[in-house]
Coordinates of all heavy atoms in Angstrom, one line a residue:
V245 N 71.7 127.1 298.2 CA 73.1 127.2 298.0 C 73.5 128.6 298.5 O 72.9 129.6 298.2 CB 73.5 127.0 296.5 CG1 75.0 127.2 296.3 CG2 73.1 125.7 296.0
T246 N 74.6 128.6 299.3 CA 75.1 129.9 299.8 C 76.6 129.9 299.8 O 77.2 128.9 299.6 CB 74.5 130.1 301.2 OG1 74.8 131.4 301.7 CG2 75.0 129.1 302.2
T247 N 77.1 131.1 300.1 CA 78.6 131.2 300.2 C 79.0 131.3 301.7 O 78.2 131.7 302.5 CB 79.1 132.4 299.4 OG1 78.5 133.6 300.1 CG2 78.6 132.4 298.0
P248 N 80.3 131.1 302.0 CA 80.7 131.3 303.4 C 80.5 132.7 303.8 O 80.1 133.0 305.0 CB 82.2 130.9 303.3 CG 82.3 129.9 302.2 CD 81.3 130.4 301.2
L249 N 80.7 133.7 302.9 CA 80.5 135.1 303.3 C 79.1 135.4 303.7 O 78.8 136.0 304.7 CB 80.9 136.0 302.1 CG 80.7 137.5 302.3 CD1 81.6 138.0 303.5 CD2 81.1 138.2 301.1
R250 N 78.1 134.9 302.9 CA 76.7 135.1 303.2 C 76.3 134.4 304.5 O 75.5 134.9 305.3 CB 75.9 134.6 302.0 CG 74.4 134.6 302.2 CD 74.0 136.1 302.5 NE 72.6 136.2 303.0 CZ 71.6 136.6 302.3 NH1 71.7 137.0 301.0 NH2 70.4 136.6 302.8
T251 N 76.8 133.2 304.7 CA 76.5 132.4 305.9 C 77.0 133.2 307.1 O 76.3 133.3 308.1 CB 77.2 131.0 305.9 OG1 76.6 130.3 304.7 CG2 76.9 130.2 307.1
L252 N 78.3 133.7 307.1 CA 78.8 134.4 308.3 C 78.0 135.7 308.5 O 77.7 136.1 309.6 CB 80.3 134.7 308.1 CG 81.0 135.3 309.3 CD1 80.8 134.5 310.6 CD2 82.4 135.5 309.0
T253 N 77.6 136.3 307.4 CA 76.8 137.6 307.5 C 75.5 137.3 308.2 O 75.1 138.0 309.1 CB 76.6 138.2 306.1 OG1 77.9 138.5 305.5 CG2 75.8 139.5 306.2
D254 N 74.8 136.2 307.7 CA 73.6 135.8 308.4 C 73.7 135.5 309.8 O 72.9 135.9 310.7 CB 72.9 134.7 307.6 CG 72.4 135.1 306.2 OD1 72.2 136.3 306.0 OD2 72.2 134.2 305.4
L255 N 74.8 134.8 310.2 CA 75.1 134.4 311.6 C 75.3 135.7 312.4 O 74.8 135.8 313.5 CB 76.3 133.5 311.7 CG 76.0 132.1 311.2 CD1 77.3 131.3 311.1 CD2 75.0 131.3 312.0
V256 N 76.0 136.7 311.9 CA 76.3 137.9 312.6 C 75.0 138.7 312.8 O 74.7 139.2 313.9 CB 77.3 138.8 311.8 CG1 77.3 140.2 312.3 CG2 78.7 138.2 311.9
L257 N 74.1 138.7 311.8 CA 72.9 139.4 311.9 C 71.9 138.8 312.9 O 71.1 139.5 313.5 CB 72.2 139.5 310.5 CG 72.8 140.5 309.5 CD1 72.2 140.3 308.1 CD2 72.5 141.9 310.0
T258 N 72.0 137.5 313.1 CA 71.1 136.8 314.0 C 71.7 136.5 315.4 O 71.0 136.0 316.3 CB 70.5 135.6 313.4 OG1 71.6 134.7 313.0 CG2 69.7 135.9 312.2
S259 N 73.0 136.8 315.6 CA 73.7 136.4 316.8 C 73.2 137.0 318.0 O 73.2 136.5 319.1 CB 75.2 136.6 316.6 OG 75.4 138.0 316.6
S260 N 72.6 138.2 317.9 CA 72.1 138.9 319.1 C 70.8 138.4 319.6 O 70.4 138.6 320.7 CB 72.0 140.4 318.9 OG 71.1 140.7 317.8
R261 N 70.1 137.7 318.6 CA 68.8 137.1 319.0 C 68.8 135.7 319.4 O 68.0 135.2 320.2 CB 67.8 137.3 317.8 CG 67.3 138.7 317.7 CD 66.4 138.8 316.5 NE 67.2 138.9 315.3 CZ 66.8 138.8 314.1 NH1 65.5 138.4 313.9 NH2 67.6 138.9 313.0
Y262 N 69.8 134.9 318.8 CA 69.8 133.5 319.1 C 71.2 133.1 319.5 O 72.2 133.3 318.7 CB 69.4 132.7 317.8 CG 68.1 133.1 317.2 CD1 68.0 133.9 316.1 CD2 66.9 132.7 317.9 CE1 66.7 134.2 315.6 CE2 65.7 133.0 317.4 CZ 65.6 133.8 316.3 OH 64.4 134.2 315.8
S263 N 71.3 132.5 320.7 CA 72.7 132.2 321.2 C 73.4 131.1 320.4 O 74.6 131.1 320.2 CB 72.5 131.7 322.6 OG 71.7 130.5 322.7
E264 N 72.6 130.2 319.8 CA 73.3 129.2 318.9 C 73.9 129.8 317.7 O 74.9 129.3 317.2 CB 72.3 128.0 318.6 CG 71.1 128.4 317.8 CD 69.9 128.9 318.6 OE1 70.0 129.0 319.8 OE2 68.9 129.1 318.0
C265 N 73.3 130.8 317.2 CA 73.9 131.5 316.0 C 75.2 132.2 316.4 O 76.2 132.3 315.7 CB 72.9 132.5 315.4 SG 71.5 131.8 314.6
A266 N 75.2 132.8 317.7 CA 76.4 133.4 318.2 C 77.6 132.4 318.3 O 78.7 132.7 318.0 CB 76.1 134.1 319.5
T267 N 77.2 131.2 318.7 CA 78.2 130.1 318.9 C 78.8 129.8 317.5 O 80.0 129.7 317.3 CB 77.6 128.9 319.6 OG1 77.1 129.3 320.8 CG2 78.6 127.8 319.7
W268 N 77.9 129.5 316.5 CA 78.4 129.2 315.2 C 79.1 130.3 314.5 O 80.1 130.1 313.8 CB 77.2 128.7 314.3 CG 76.7 127.4 314.7 CD1 75.6 127.0 315.3 CD2 77.4 126.1 314.5 NE1 75.5 125.6 315.5 CE2 76.7 125.1 315.0 CE3 78.7 125.8 313.8 CZ2 77.1 123.8 314.9 CZ3 79.1 124.5 313.8 CH2 78.3 123.5 314.3
M269 N 78.7 131.6 314.8 CA 79.4 132.7 314.3 C 80.8 132.8 314.7 O 81.7 132.9 313.9 CB 78.6 134.0 314.7 CG 79.4 135.3 314.3 SD 78.9 136.7 315.2 CE 79.4 136.3 316.9
R270 N 81.0 132.6 316.0 CA 82.4 132.6 316.6 C 83.2 131.5 316.0 O 84.4 131.6 315.7 CB 82.4 132.5 318.1 CG 81.9 133.8 318.7 CD 82.1 133.7 320.2 NE 81.3 134.8 320.8 CZ 80.0 134.7 321.2 NH1 79.4 133.5 321.2 NH2 79.4 135.7 321.8
T271 N 82.6 130.3 315.9 CA 83.3 129.1 315.3 C 83.7 129.4 313.8 O 84.9 129.1 313.4 CB 82.4 127.9 315.4 OG1 82.1 127.7 316.7 CG2 83.2 126.7 314.8
M272 N 82.8 129.9 313.1 CA 83.1 130.2 311.7 C 84.1 131.3 311.5 O 85.0 131.3 310.7 CB 81.8 130.5 310.9 CG 82.1 130.6 309.4 SD 80.5 130.7 308.5 CE 81.1 130.6 306.9
A273 N 84.0 132.4 312.4 CA 85.0 133.5 312.3 C 86.4 133.0 312.7 O 87.4 133.5 312.1 CB 84.5 134.6 313.2
A274 N 86.5 132.1 313.6 CA 87.8 131.5 314.0 C 88.4 130.6 312.8 O 89.6 130.6 312.6 CB 87.7 130.7 315.2
A275 N 87.5 129.9 312.1 CA 87.9 129.1 311.0 C 88.2 129.9 309.8 O 89.1 129.5 309.0 CB 86.8 128.0 310.7
C276 N 87.6 131.0 309.6 CA 87.7 131.8 308.3 C 87.9 133.2 308.7 O 87.0 134.1 308.4 CB 86.5 131.6 307.4 SG 86.1 129.9 307.0
P277 N 89.0 133.6 309.4 CA 89.1 135.0 309.9 C 89.2 136.0 308.8 O 88.8 137.2 309.0 CB 90.4 135.0 310.7 CG 91.1 133.8 310.3 CD 90.1 132.8 309.8
S278 N 89.6 135.6 307.6 CA 89.6 136.6 306.5 C 88.3 137.1 306.1 O 88.2 138.1 305.4 CB 90.4 136.0 305.3 OG 89.7 134.8 304.8
L279 N 87.2 136.4 306.4 CA 85.9 136.8 306.1 C 85.3 137.9 306.9 O 84.4 138.6 306.5 CB 84.9 135.6 306.2 CG 85.0 134.5 305.1 CD1 84.0 133.4 305.4 CD2 84.9 135.0 303.7
V280 N 85.9 138.0 308.1 CA 85.3 139.0 309.1 C 85.4 140.5 308.5 O 84.4 141.2 308.6 CB 86.0 138.9 310.5 CG1 85.4 140.0 311.4 CG2 85.7 137.5 311.0
P281 N 86.5 140.9 308.0 CA 86.5 142.3 307.4 C 85.6 142.4 306.2 O 85.0 143.5 306.0 CB 88.0 142.5 307.0 CG 88.8 141.5 307.7 CD 87.8 140.3 308.0
L282 N 85.4 141.3 305.5 CA 84.5 141.3 304.3 C 83.0 141.5 304.8 O 82.3 142.2 304.2 CB 84.7 140.1 303.5 CG 86.0 139.9 302.8 CD1 86.1 138.5 302.1 CD2 86.4 141.0 301.9
V283 N 82.7 140.8 305.9 CA 81.4 140.9 306.4 C 81.1 142.4 306.9 O 80.1 143.0 306.7 CB 81.1 139.9 307.6 CG1 79.9 140.2 308.4 CG2 81.1 138.5 307.1
Q284 N 82.1 142.9 307.6 CA 82.0 144.3 308.0 C 81.8 145.3 306.8 O 80.9 146.1 306.9 CB 83.3 144.7 308.8 CG 83.2 146.1 309.4 CD 84.5 146.5 310.1 OE1 85.6 146.1 309.6 NE2 84.4 147.1 311.2
A285 N 82.5 145.1 305.8 CA 82.4 146.0 304.6 C 81.0 145.8 303.9 O 80.4 146.7 303.5 CB 83.5 145.7 303.6
L286 N 80.6 144.5 303.9 CA 79.3 144.2 303.3 C 78.1 144.9 304.1 O 77.2 145.5 303.5 CB 79.0 142.7 303.2 CG 77.7 142.3 302.5 CD1 78.1 141.9 301.1 CD2 77.1 141.1 303.3
L287 N 78.2 144.8 305.4 CA 77.2 145.4 306.3 C 77.2 146.9 306.2 O 76.2 147.6 306.2 CB 77.3 144.9 307.7 CG 77.0 143.4 308.0 CD1 77.4 143.0 309.4 CD2 75.5 143.1 307.7
A288 N 78.4 147.4 306.2 CA 78.6 148.9 306.2 C 78.1 149.5 304.9 O 77.6 150.6 304.9 CB 80.0 149.3 306.4
A289 N 78.2 148.7 303.8 CA 77.7 149.2 302.5 C 76.2 149.2 302.3 O 75.7 149.9 301.5 CB 78.3 148.4 301.4
R290 N 75.5 148.5 303.2 CA 74.0 148.4 303.1 C 73.5 149.7 303.7 O 73.9 150.1 304.8 CB 73.5 147.2 303.8 CG 74.0 145.9 303.3 CD 73.3 145.5 302.0 NE 71.9 145.4 302.0 CZ 71.2 144.2 302.2 NH1 71.9 143.1 302.4 NH2 69.9 144.2 302.2
S291 N 72.6 150.4 303.0 CA 72.0 151.6 303.5 C 71.1 151.4 304.7 O 71.2 152.0 305.7 CB 71.4 152.4 302.4 OG 70.3 151.6 301.8
R292 N 70.1 150.5 304.5 CA 69.2 150.2 305.6 C 69.0 148.7 305.7 O 68.7 148.0 304.7 CB 67.8 150.9 305.2 CG 67.9 152.4 305.2 CD 66.6 153.0 304.9 NE 65.6 152.7 306.0 CZ 64.5 153.3 306.2 NH1 64.1 154.2 305.3 NH2 63.7 152.9 307.2
M293 N 69.1 148.3 306.9 CA 68.9 146.8 307.2 C 68.6 146.7 308.7 O 69.2 147.2 309.5 CB 70.2 146.1 306.9 CG 70.3 144.7 307.3 SD 71.9 144.0 307.1 CE 72.1 144.0 305.4
P294 N 67.5 145.9 309.0 CA 67.2 145.6 310.4 C 68.4 144.9 311.1 O 68.9 144.0 310.6 CB 66.0 144.7 310.3 CG 65.5 144.9 308.9 CD 66.6 145.2 308.0
G295 N 68.8 145.5 312.2 CA 69.8 144.9 313.0 C 71.2 145.3 312.6 O 72.2 144.7 313.0
K296 N 71.4 146.2 311.6 CA 72.7 146.6 311.1 C 73.6 147.1 312.2 O 74.8 146.7 312.2 CB 72.5 147.6 310.0 CG 73.8 148.1 309.4 CD 73.6 149.2 308.4 CE 74.8 149.8 307.9 NZ 74.6 150.9 306.9
R297 N 73.2 148.0 313.0 CA 74.0 148.6 314.1 C 74.5 147.5 315.0 O 75.7 147.5 315.3 CB 73.3 149.7 314.8 CG 73.3 151.0 314.1 CD 72.7 152.1 315.0 NE 71.6 152.6 314.3 CZ 70.6 153.3 314.8 NH1 70.7 153.6 316.1 NH2 69.6 153.8 314.1
A298 N 73.6 146.6 315.4 CA 74.0 145.6 316.4 C 75.0 144.6 315.7 O 76.0 144.2 316.3 CB 72.8 144.8 316.8
A299 N 74.8 144.3 314.4 CA 75.7 143.4 313.7 C 77.1 144.0 313.5 O 78.1 143.3 313.6 CB 75.1 143.1 312.3
L300 N 77.1 145.3 313.2 CA 78.4 146.0 313.1 C 79.2 146.0 314.4 O 80.4 145.9 314.4 CB 78.3 147.4 312.5 CG 77.9 147.5 311.0 CD1 77.6 148.9 310.6 CD2 79.1 146.9 310.2
A301 N 78.4 146.1 315.5 CA 79.1 146.0 316.8 C 79.6 144.6 317.1 O 80.7 144.5 317.6 CB 78.1 146.4 317.9
V302 N 78.9 143.6 316.7 CA 79.4 142.2 316.8 C 80.6 142.0 316.0 O 81.6 141.4 316.4 CB 78.3 141.2 316.4 CG1 78.8 139.8 316.3 CG2 77.1 141.3 317.4
V303 N 80.7 142.5 314.8 CA 81.8 142.4 313.9 C 83.0 143.1 314.5 O 84.1 142.6 314.5 CB 81.5 142.9 312.5 CG1 82.8 142.9 311.6 CG2 80.5 142.0 311.8
A304 N 82.8 144.3 315.1 CA 83.9 145.0 315.7 C 84.5 144.2 316.9 O 85.7 144.2 317.1 CB 83.4 146.3 316.2
E305 N 83.6 143.5 317.6 CA 84.1 142.6 318.7 C 84.9 141.5 318.1 O 86.0 141.1 318.7 CB 82.9 142.1 319.5 CG 82.2 143.1 320.4 CD 81.1 142.4 321.1 OE1 81.0 141.2 321.3 OE2 80.2 143.2 321.5
L306 N 84.5 140.9 317.1 CA 85.3 139.8 316.4 C 86.6 140.3 316.0 O 87.6 139.6 316.1 CB 84.5 139.2 315.2 CG 83.3 138.4 315.6 CD1 82.6 138.0 314.3 CD2 83.6 137.2 316.3
L307 N 86.7 141.5 315.4 CA 87.9 142.1 315.0 C 88.9 142.4 316.1 O 90.1 142.2 316.0 CB 87.7 143.3 314.1 CG 87.1 143.1 312.8 CD1 86.7 144.4 312.1 CD2 88.0 142.3 311.9
D308 N 88.3 142.8 317.3 CA 89.1 143.1 318.5 C 89.7 141.8 319.1 O 90.6 141.9 319.9 CB 88.2 143.8 319.5 CG 88.0 145.3 319.1 OD1 88.7 145.8 318.2 OD2 87.1 145.9 319.7
Q309 N 89.1 140.7 318.8 CA 89.5 139.4 319.4 C 90.7 138.8 318.7 O 91.2 137.8 319.2 CB 88.4 138.4 319.5 CG 87.3 138.8 320.4 CD 86.1 137.8 320.3 OE1 86.2 136.8 319.5 NE2 85.0 138.1 321.0
R310 N 91.2 139.5 317.7 CA 92.4 139.0 317.0 C 93.6 139.0 317.9 O 93.7 139.8 318.8 CB 92.7 139.8 315.8 CG 91.6 139.6 314.7 CD 91.9 140.5 313.5 NE 90.8 140.5 312.7 CZ 90.9 140.3 311.4 NH1 92.0 140.2 310.8 NH2 89.8 140.3 310.6
A311 N 94.5 138.1 317.7 CA 95.7 138.0 318.5 C 96.5 139.3 318.3 O 96.7 139.8 317.2 CB 96.5 136.8 318.1
P312 N 97.1 139.8 319.4 CA 97.9 141.0 319.2 C 99.2 140.7 318.4 O 99.8 139.7 318.6 CB 98.3 141.4 320.7 CG 97.7 140.4 321.5 CD 97.0 139.4 320.7
G313 N 99.4 141.6 317.4 CA 100.6 141.4 316.6 C 100.4 140.5 315.4 O 101.2 140.3 314.6
A314 N 99.2 139.9 315.3 CA 98.9 138.9 314.2 C 98.6 139.8 313.0 O 98.1 140.9 313.1 CB 97.8 138.0 314.6
P315 N 98.9 139.2 311.8 CA 98.6 140.0 310.6 C 97.1 140.0 310.2 O 96.8 140.5 309.2 CB 99.4 139.2 309.6 CG 99.5 137.8 310.1 CD 99.5 137.9 311.6
G316 N 96.3 139.6 311.1 CA 94.8 139.7 310.8 C 94.2 138.4 310.4 O 93.1 138.3 310.1
E317 N 95.0 137.3 310.4 CA 94.5 136.0 310.0 C 94.3 135.1 311.2 O 93.8 134.0 311.0 CB 95.5 135.4 309.0 CG 95.5 136.2 307.7 CD 94.2 136.2 307.0 OE1 93.5 135.2 307.0 OE2 93.9 137.3 306.5
E318 N 94.6 135.4 312.4 CA 94.4 134.5 313.5 C 93.7 135.3 314.6 O 93.9 136.4 314.9 CB 95.7 134.0 314.0 CG 96.5 133.2 313.0 CD 97.8 132.6 313.5 OE1 97.9 132.5 314.8 OE2 98.7 132.4 312.7
F319 N 92.9 134.5 315.3 CA 92.2 135.1 316.5 C 92.9 134.6 317.7 O 93.6 133.6 317.7 CB 90.7 134.6 316.5 CG 89.8 135.4 315.6 CD1 89.9 135.2 314.3 CD2 89.0 136.3 316.1 CE1 89.1 135.9 313.4 CE2 88.1 137.0 315.3 CZ 88.2 136.8 314.0
A320 N 92.8 135.4 318.8 CA 93.5 135.1 320.0 C 92.9 133.8 320.6 O 91.8 133.5 320.5 CB 93.3 136.2 321.0
Q321 N 93.8 133.0 321.2 CA 93.4 131.8 321.9 C 93.7 132.0 323.4 O 94.6 132.7 323.8 CB 94.1 130.6 321.4 CG 93.8 130.2 320.0 CD 94.6 128.9 319.6 OE1 95.6 128.7 320.1 NE2 94.0 128.2 318.7
E322 N 92.9 131.4 324.2 CA 93.1 131.4 325.6 C 94.4 130.6 325.9 O 94.8 129.7 325.2 CB 92.0 130.7 326.4 CG 90.7 131.5 326.3 CD 89.5 130.8 327.0 OE1 89.8 130.0 327.9 OE2 88.4 131.1 326.7
E323 N 95.1 131.0 327.0 CA 96.3 130.4 327.3 C 96.3 128.9 327.5 O 97.2 128.2 327.1 CB 96.8 131.0 328.7 CG 98.3 130.6 329.0 CD 99.3 131.1 328.1 OE1 99.1 132.2 327.6 OE2 100.3 130.4 327.9
V324 N 95.1 128.4 328.0 CA 95.0 126.9 328.2 C 95.0 126.2 326.8 O 95.5 125.1 326.8 CB 93.6 126.7 328.9 CG1 93.4 125.2 329.1 CG2 93.6 127.4 330.2
T325 N 94.5 126.8 325.8 CA 94.4 126.0 324.5 C 95.5 126.3 323.6 O 95.6 125.7 322.5 CB 93.0 126.4 323.8 OG1 93.0 127.8 323.5 CG2 91.8 126.0 324.6
R326 N 96.4 127.2 323.9 CA 97.5 127.6 323.1 C 98.5 126.5 323.0 O 99.0 126.0 324.1 CB 98.1 128.9 323.5 CG 99.2 129.4 322.5 CD 99.7 130.7 322.9 NE 98.7 131.7 322.9 CZ 98.6 132.7 323.8 NH1 99.5 132.8 324.7 NH2 97.6 133.5 323.8
Y327 N 98.9 126.0 321.9 CA 99.9 125.0 321.7 C 101.3 125.5 322.0 O 101.7 126.5 321.4 CB 99.8 124.3 320.4 CG 100.9 123.3 320.1 CD1 100.8 122.0 320.7 CD2 102.0 123.6 319.4 CE1 101.8 121.1 320.5 CE2 103.0 122.7 319.2 CZ 102.9 121.4 319.7 OH 103.9 120.5 319.5
T328 N 102.1 124.9 322.8 CA 103.5 125.2 323.0 C 104.3 124.0 322.8 O 104.0 122.9 323.2 CB 103.7 125.8 324.4 OG1 103.3 124.9 325.4 CG2 102.9 127.1 324.6
S329 N 105.5 124.2 322.3 CA 106.3 123.0 322.0 C 107.5 123.0 323.0 O 107.8 123.9 323.7 CB 106.9 123.0 320.6 OG 107.5 124.3 320.3

């Protein structure tokens, strides 16, 4: 049994080694964007952890992908997939 926060943290930690984890990490971050800052805080609070620097860099990239002007809850979408009415 695990939590969404723990799952996303594990995906972030393994995303640089396994491409399928990177895919699932992006999918989960898009579905639960409020978890991304929590993952960043959790990783930053750990004193020593293998892959910590790489994981924090991945989280920073996820945070940079947010839509400009969004309150932090949505990630940017490519123009092709953006819904327009």
Side-chain angles (χ1 to χ4, degrees):
V245 177
T246 186
T247 65
L249 178 60
R250 177 59 192 255
T251 299
L252 185 56
T253 302
D254 289 343
L255 289 170
V256 166
L257 284 166
T258 56
S259 66
S260 60
R261 287 181 277 164
Y262 304 106
S263 62
E264 61 273 5
C265 289
T267 301
W268 284 108
M269 173 200 64
R270 286 187 197 93
T271 302
M272 188 168 184
C276 305
S278 61
L279 289 178
V280 178
L282 298 175
V283 170
Q284 184 181 40
L286 184 98
L287 291 171
R290 299 287 299 265
S291 59
R292 295 180 66 165
M293 172 188 291
K296 177 181 171 180
R297 281 186 239 164
L300 286 172
V302 168
V303 171
E305 287 177 25
L306 289 174
L307 290 170
D308 287 344
Q309 291 174 4
R310 292 178 190 226
E317 293 299 320
E318 296 181 28
F319 280 74
Q321 290 183 333
E322 294 181 20
E323 188 66 34
V324 176
T325 61
R326 188 175 299 141
Y327 174 78
T328 57
S329 54

